[in-house]
Amino acid sequence: MLTLSAIRDARERVDAVARHTPLERSRTFSEMTGANVHLKLENFQRTGAFKIRGAANRIGTLPAEAREAGVVTASAGNHAQGVALAAERAGVDATVVMPKFAPVSKVKATRGYGATVRLEGVDYEEAQAYAHELEREHGLTYVHAFDDPAVMAGQGTLGLEIAEDCPELDTVVVPIGGGGLISGVAVAIKEQLDDVRVVGVQAEGAASAPQSLAAGERRAIDSVDTIADGIATRSVGEKPFEIMREYVDEAVVVDDREIALALTLLLERSKTLVEGAGAVALAAVLSEAFDYEDDETIVAALCGGNIDLNRLGTVVRRGLVQMGRYLKITIDLKDRPGELERVSSIVARTGANVYAVHHDRTSRDVAVNAAELELELETDDAEHAAGIVEELEAEGYDVDIVS
């Protein structure tokens, strides 16, 4: 069983590699929610995520023979980078197996930290199976991403920092992937502070924890599908689940739209870049996925900032749609001179900014005497976007809202 003593013992090993990351009150999100919202900025951690903590503690406890043989692990990206850096600092060879579709930025970063990277499998579970083959064949030590007491203790050092920096804490909100982080944080906080609630959050497309906790036994889902790739696991780990059953008060779910909105708001209002997994805790607060009181002191753990730049644009676009700041519509026009100019003048009258235009007269779905106009518009808010649609419809146009 994971103990506060084990987490405290891990701190010296972790502090040799990882940073004590900032914890800051957010005026913006406090005003938006009515709660007293603080952000644990673990996206500022070395390697961009909390995983360096658990990796540093696990590798730091290896006996000499195991250090000489080297380590192997499987990861979608953040644990990969944590193991790579911790191993490099300790002078230990590391092999990391990543899913074939892992973000390119995370693959390159892992190699940059000195690890040998193998791309195998379509998700974490398949990558993990291959890593265990390498473990057996070459006598390597497997460094599990979450189902390991030493890793859980290392992750728990984040909880020690939260308890020190925000002792008035009422609720801490923590992402759940395999459960290693929330297990360590929950023990670190609940064994030190009284009457603190621990709320775990999963993405809707990878939500095994709520049903597992409700059933009293681990449940796995068949597949994962979410923009929060850092927590996209089919089930929580066996050892973390035992801790979660005792220490976690509630597990809730947020969908990709809510994650995208939280990520976009963090970027715009707090000038803070996180990945999908790093936004889920704040998404749960903003969407009121769990009940909280006015002025309740809430810490949301922003657990990672390693978002692939190719994905960032797509996620921000989704967030802007949720905010009413982006509108994509199609309109069927009569194929005659002046129609495009007429629509443009209506849009200009509403104060919208045209982002892109696509005018198609050749599609099979368009009548011979018609054209399809697709507009992408930058708007002020949801009310403004609705007003644009109403204005066009009032002028006789049939408007189809794409997003």
Side-chain angles (χ1 to χ4, degrees):
M1 179 66 73
L2 181 64
T3 64
L4 178 60
S5 176
I7 296 171
R8 285 174 170 164
D9 288 345
R11 190 164 198 174
E12 183 176 352
R13 290 183 286 270
V14 171
D15 284 351
V17 181
R19 296 189 177 103
H20 183 132
T21 51
L23 191 151
E24 299 179 357
R25 183 181 185 275
S26 170
R27 178 178 177 180
T28 294
F29 298 121
S30 295
E31 291 178 349
M32 289 176 64
T33 63
N36 184 25
V37 178
H38 294 68
L39 305 176
K40 176 59 173 172
L41 299 171
E42 191 66 5
N43 54 308
F44 291 165
Q45 186 55 264
R46 285 193 173 95
T47 73
F50 72 94
K51 292 288 191 176
I52 183 68
R53 297 174 182 267
N57 191 49
R58 182 69 179 92
I59 292 172
T61 60
L62 290 176
E65 184 178 346
R67 293 165 66 92
E68 180 67 25
V71 298
V72 64
T73 193
S75 169
N78 288 334
H79 179 64
Q81 294 173 71
V83 169
L85 180 57
E88 188 271 336
R89 290 291 182 91
V92 174
D93 290 336
T95 299
V96 178
V97 183
M98 304 178 74
K100 293 178 181 178
F101 305 110
V104 173
S105 60
K106 294 183 179 182
V107 175
K108 289 184 176 180
T110 303
R111 286 179 173 144
Y113 288 125
T116 299
V117 175
R118 303 285 294 269
L119 300 178
E120 298 287 342
V122 298
D123 59 13
Y124 170 77
E125 278 69 20
E126 292 187 5
Q128 182 185 50
Y130 185 79
H132 282 307
E133 291 181 16
L134 296 178
E135 174 192 13
R136 292 187 293 270
E137 289 175 9
H138 302 287
L140 307 176
T141 297
Y142 185 81
V143 181
H144 203 286
F146 48 83
D147 210 353
D148 183 309
V151 170
M152 294 157 63
Q155 318 300 28
T157 60
L158 186 145
L160 296 180
E161 294 177 12
I162 292 174
E164 291 170 3
D165 296 341
C166 191
E168 70 276 21
L169 174 69
D170 294 313
T171 299
V172 61
V173 190
V174 184
I176 301 175
L181 176 63
I182 195 170
S183 298
V185 169
V187 171
I189 288 177
K190 287 208 167 189
E191 290 294 329
Q192 296 185 91
L193 303 178
D194 295 328
D195 300 322
V196 175
R197 179 173 53 156
V198 177
V199 176
V201 189
Q202 286 196 306
E204 185 179 58
S208 64
Q211 57 182 294
S212 296
L213 290 172
E217 61 181 15
R218 289 196 305 147
R219 298 286 176 84
I221 56 178
D222 294 333
S223 61
V224 294
D225 183 14
T226 175
I227 61 174
D229 57 272
I231 54 173
T233 59
R234 296 180 190 173
S235 68
V236 297
E238 181 179 349
K239 294 179 179 66
F241 182 65
E242 292 306 310
I243 300 296
M244 290 167 61
R245 291 178 64 184
E246 181 175 352
Y247 286 90
V248 175
D249 296 281
E250 185 177 1
V252 299
V253 173
V254 291
D255 62 34
D256 279 359
R257 295 175 302 169
E258 292 162 338
I259 297 169
L261 176 59
L263 187 153
T264 305
L265 286 169
L266 280 165
L267 189 58
E268 181 176 60
R269 302 300 299 275
S270 298
K271 310 301 180 283
T272 298
L273 178 63
V274 298
E275 60 188 284
V280 297
L282 181 61
V285 179
L286 295 177
S287 65
E288 299 183 9
F290 61 97
D291 294 330
Y292 53 84
E293 302 293 330
D294 289 344
D295 297 324
E296 183 172 330
T297 299
I298 301 173
V299 171
L302 309 186
C303 66
N306 295 318
I307 188 167
D308 186 85
L309 290 181
N310 290 326
R311 173 167 285 190
L312 177 60
T314 300
V315 175
V316 169
R317 184 66 54 81
R318 289 191 184 187
L320 291 173
V321 169
Q322 293 299 108
M323 296 164 66
R325 299 270 298 280
Y326 170 85
L327 177 65
K328 185 176 182 179
I329 58 176
T330 59
I331 304 170
D332 289 334
L333 300 181
K334 294 186 181 299
D335 188 17
R336 61 191 182 192
E339 279 297 303
L340 181 57
E341 181 181 2
R342 181 167 177 251
V343 170
S344 298
S345 66
I346 296 170
V347 170
R349 190 166 70 230
T350 66
N353 185 44
V354 177
Y355 181 81
V357 177
H358 181 68
H359 186 260
D360 187 2
R361 296 189 299 176
T362 61
S363 172
R364 293 180 180 180
D365 298 327
V366 178
V368 174
N369 63 342
E372 182 181 76
L373 177 65
E374 182 180 87
L375 292 176
E376 295 181 52
L377 306 174
E378 295 176 350
T379 54
D380 296 337
D381 50 34
E383 184 178 356
H384 185 207
I388 295 168
V389 174
E390 291 175 4
E391 189 79 12
L392 288 165
E393 291 178 339
E395 294 289 338
Y397 292 103
D398 185 15
V399 180
D400 182 23
I401 300 175
V402 179
S403 63

